[in-house]
Amino acid sequence: MPDYSVPATWQVTAGTVPARHAAGRPSPADAYGGIVGPESAGPAASRDFELARLAAIVESSDDAIIGKTLDGTITSWNAGAEQMYGYASAEMLGRNVSELIPPDRPSELVPLLDRLGRGGRVGPFETKRVRKDGSIIDVSVCISPIRDAGGTVIGASTVARDMTERNLAEAERQAMARELHQSERLEILGQLAGGIAHDFNNMLAAILSYAGFVAEETADRPGVQADAEQIQAAALRAARLTRQLLIFSSREVSQPEALDLNAIINGIHELLSASIGSHIDLRVDLTADLGAIMADRSQVEQILLNLVINARDAMQEGGTLTIRTSLLEPGAVPVPVPRPGDAPGHTHHGDGPGRPGPGPGSPQPGGSNGHYVELAVSDTGTGISADVAPRIFEPFFTTKPLGQGTGLGLSTVHTIVEQAGGSVSIDSEEGAGTTFFVRFPASGLPVRSASATAGRGAQGHGETILVVDDEAAVLEVTSRILRRNGYATLEATTGQKALSLASSRDFQLLLTDSIMPGVSGPKLAEQVTALKPGVRVLHMSGYTAGLLDPQGIVGGRLAFVQKPFTAQALLEKVRAVLSVPPGE
């Protein structure tokens, strides 16, 4: 840091040297007679000239240069001080410098003056000062003692520079550096997750399916069945963790459709209840006739599960968890879910109708006619403090002990909602609980019931399916699921084998891995349908959106099922594709 202090070797002469600049303001030397160099023994005219030149230098400085006595009384005040602090010289002369010190630093001045009285020099150091308008500024200060001709310290000279803009710029630079680091971190993790997703999801698909087979075949052995179900649960947790990485790194395959939010909540109610434990009372309050939202079904389920688990972790001693849905009219203000102990002073953060913002994501204009479908998840737990609330949607941010949280849950919620064109906010008070508000634009489209396919029955009726996958374990379990549920299968591990079967056998559906050595799924489908016009096609893959999009799979252009899948998910997707008339 530059040294802005007056040299400690300057001395004060006896006598009066009233040096003044052109505007008639007194120079900093007036209070003590005159500041001269140690060798000045020339004529009085020369001395006056040097003092006048020094006064001009001091007066023209943009830095605040202030003279004061050892008790802090201000004796000189240059133009830089006027500009920095907002007080004219006439206002400050004779007042105490303590008036410039913020109320939260009452003891700062005493040790400084004490050190100066002993002849010591202070600084440079950074601190804060108060302007005339009450605003607080950052300043760099250096204070030097002023001595008389005999060497006695009789006052002090303070040189202060306004560092506020520099500090703001530095804070902004550091924030941008943190954001860049976070972005790079997400990109690296996204690349890593995307790179391993295919192989990892293939392994999880095999684990899930084989564990499912064991569970089905050991109904008479509850202990074994329970072990198999635990294996399935662990595999699903691993799949969810990988998926959360892919979601907020924008590498997740999203398949939006018109959904009934109430139906999704009812569909996973049992899973949610099992996730929170018996010490928490789960209550559901659903508004009828919400209409549809456009979102990915599994991602909406992920939102619910993440918010419910977050609420569970906030209620270690038990409590009440409420899930509520409502339809917001254009311009309507959402009403917070009541919580015991609610009082003024809640923490609000986020965005959307009726909420302070902006928070993560931008409020959207609404869906059909400006309506929103709102999901509110409320708990009676520990609440979120005001200093933590602004960071809760940051990836990897967690308040949980080391090893007990990934910091991905709420950031995943935010990313999914943002991608769906919605917004998310919170209402919280420490010790009284938290409510998360998630708003989706209403789509105005007919709702596709979550149970539509299941209602028609996901079982096969003797249809033959050509299953193609270069991973032998996945090929085997996929075919086994289909055969156990009323389908016949043809199996191929390469595109060449698949084409050979297609040219000689009859089948109604091609179920193919999307990316395989030698040929892509879409390319294979093109060749197979040329041989068998009217055959339906269903793609499956453990790869991510970034790799699949160039193949034309993402966005509903082709029927697709993401690995790892459960038997039920696969069967429902197969039945849905087979139910579509040829050519549609």
Side-chain angles (χ1 to χ4, degrees):
M1 182 180 297
D3 184 353
Y4 308 119
S5 65
V6 175
T9 55
W10 286 352
Q11 298 179 339
V12 179
T13 66
T16 303
V17 185
R20 297 176 179 273
H21 67 47
R25 288 172 41 85
S27 77
D30 282 348
Y32 306 107
I35 301 177
V36 300
E39 303 300 330
S40 64
S46 175
R47 183 183 62 188
D48 289 349
F49 173 78
E50 291 299 326
L51 287 174
R53 185 169 65 173
L54 176 60
I57 292 172
V58 169
E59 192 62 30
S60 64
S61 174
D62 289 334
D63 295 328
I65 302 177
I66 304 169
K68 55 181 176 286
T69 62
L70 291 178
D71 65 358
T73 301
I74 297 172
T75 57
S76 63
W77 184 268
N78 77 334
E82 289 185 339
Q83 180 66 28
M84 184 180 299
Y85 296 113
Y87 292 98
S89 175
E91 293 179 275
M92 293 305 293
L93 292 178
R95 293 167 67 173
N96 198 280
V97 73
S98 61
E99 296 183 36
L100 302 176
I101 297 178
D104 62 347
R105 299 168 182 249
S107 61
E108 180 179 295
L109 186 60
V110 175
L112 297 181
L113 293 176
D114 182 63
R115 183 174 177 182
L116 287 165
R118 297 196 306 270
R121 183 165 170 263
V122 180
F125 66 95
E126 284 203 21
T127 185
K128 295 184 181 296
R129 292 291 181 259
V130 183
R131 286 174 45 84
K132 183 178 181 178
D133 61 8
S135 60
I136 304 296
I137 58 175
D138 298 327
V139 295
S140 174
V141 176
C142 190
I143 311 174
S144 300
I146 296 178
R147 305 173 188 273
D148 63 12
T152 301
V153 177
I154 60 172
S157 170
T158 297
V159 180
R161 174 165 292 182
D162 190 343
M163 307 298 286
T164 307
E165 290 187 8
R166 191 210 67 168
N167 288 350
L168 288 174
E170 177 62 18
E172 184 177 349
R173 186 196 67 78
Q174 292 180 2
M176 292 177 64
R178 286 193 298 269
E179 290 178 6
L180 178 61
H181 175 72
Q182 187 76 287
S183 177
E184 290 173 342
R185 186 182 182 189
L186 292 179
E187 180 65 22
I188 291 170
L189 285 172
Q191 289 177 357
L192 176 62
I196 68 172
H198 178 261
D199 292 340
F200 189 61
N201 285 335
N202 275 339
M203 289 186 285
L204 289 175
I207 293 170
L208 279 170
S209 297
Y210 281 119
F213 297 152
V214 172
E216 288 177 11
E217 295 175 3
T218 56
D220 58 337
R221 300 173 64 186
V224 176
Q225 189 177 53
D227 290 345
E229 290 172 352
Q230 286 298 316
I231 294 172
Q232 285 182 301
L236 286 171
R237 285 196 299 272
R240 282 197 294 269
L241 179 58
T242 303
R243 193 159 192 243
Q244 288 184 117
L245 281 169
L246 298 176
I247 286 172
F248 69 72
S249 61
S250 301
R251 288 173 167 82
E252 167 68 7
V253 177
S254 179
Q255 302 178 80
E257 56 183 310
L259 301 174
D260 180 350
L261 182 58
N262 288 345
I264 292 176
I265 294 171
N266 287 328
I268 65 169
H269 186 280
E270 185 175 342
L271 172 62
L272 298 178
S273 296
S275 299
I276 61 176
S278 59
H279 65 301
I280 294 175
D281 179 23
L282 175 61
R283 300 177 182 176
V284 177
D285 178 15
L286 306 180
T287 298
D289 302 321
L290 285 178
I293 61 172
M294 283 299 295
D296 182 297
R297 178 184 301 277
S298 61
Q299 290 186 356
V300 174
E301 292 173 348
Q302 185 80 60
I303 289 173
L304 280 162
L305 189 59
N306 287 10
L307 291 178
V308 164
I309 289 175
N310 188 75
R312 176 202 67 189
D313 292 344
M315 296 185 288
Q316 296 292 326
E317 304 301 321
T320 300
L321 193 159
T322 304
I323 299 175
R324 186 186 71 173
T325 61
S326 56
L327 181 64
L328 301 183
E329 300 291 335
V333 178
V335 179
V337 176
R339 295 189 307 273
D342 269 2
H346 294 170
T347 292
H348 299 282
H349 187 75
D351 48 60
R355 295 289 166 205
S362 301
Q364 304 297 321
S368 176
N369 300 319
H371 291 76
Y372 282 88
V373 173
E374 181 176 78
L375 165 69
V377 178
S378 177
D379 66 66
T380 56
T382 56
I384 301 173
S385 64
D387 59 324
V388 168
R391 301 191 61 194
I392 59 171
F393 296 112
E394 290 182 14
F396 310 110
F397 176 76
T398 179
T399 58
K400 298 174 185 176
L402 184 65
Q404 296 186 23
T406 62
L408 300 180
L410 294 179
S411 64
T412 300
V413 169
H414 169 253
T415 300
I416 293 173
V417 174
E418 187 179 55
Q419 290 175 353
S423 60
V424 59
S425 63
I426 64 169
D427 173 29
S428 185
E429 181 183 4
E430 275 194 278
T434 300
T435 299
F436 281 86
F437 297 92
V438 176
R439 288 166 293 279
F440 297 97
S443 74
L445 298 175
V447 172
R448 179 183 180 277
S449 172
S451 58
T453 300
R456 295 194 300 271
Q459 295 290 312
H461 305 291
E463 298 95 334
T464 299
I465 300 174
L466 173 55
V467 185
V468 187
D469 199 304
D470 61 302
E471 186 71 33
V474 176
L475 178 64
E476 198 280 328
V477 296
T478 302
S479 299
R480 187 171 170 183
I481 290 170
L482 294 170
R483 290 194 302 270
R484 289 161 65 98
N485 289 278
Y487 296 99
T489 63
L490 303 171
E491 299 165 21
T493 55
T494 66
Q496 184 177 0
K497 177 68 180 297
L499 289 173
S500 176
L501 289 170
S503 63
S504 59
R505 306 288 293 273
D506 290 328
F507 53 94
Q508 287 72 52
L509 174 69
L510 169 65
L511 174 58
T512 177
D513 194 18
S514 300
I515 299 179
M516 301 177 290
V519 65
S520 69
K523 185 64 176 178
L524 177 62
E526 182 182 322
Q527 295 172 344
V528 168
T529 53
L531 292 171
K532 299 287 187 182
V535 165
R536 283 79 155 188
V537 179
L538 174 59
H539 296 269
M540 58 180 174
S541 182
Y543 274 115
T544 59
L547 290 171
L548 295 178
D549 214 17
Q551 305 297 330
I553 295 170
V554 183
R557 296 187 290 277
L558 299 177
F560 176 77
V561 60
Q562 176 75 53
K563 298 177 187 175
F565 43 71
T566 63
Q568 185 66 20
L570 174 63
L571 293 171
E572 290 186 1
K573 197 69 177 183
V574 166
R575 176 46 53 194
V577 174
L578 285 172
S579 299
V580 176
E584 291 190 12

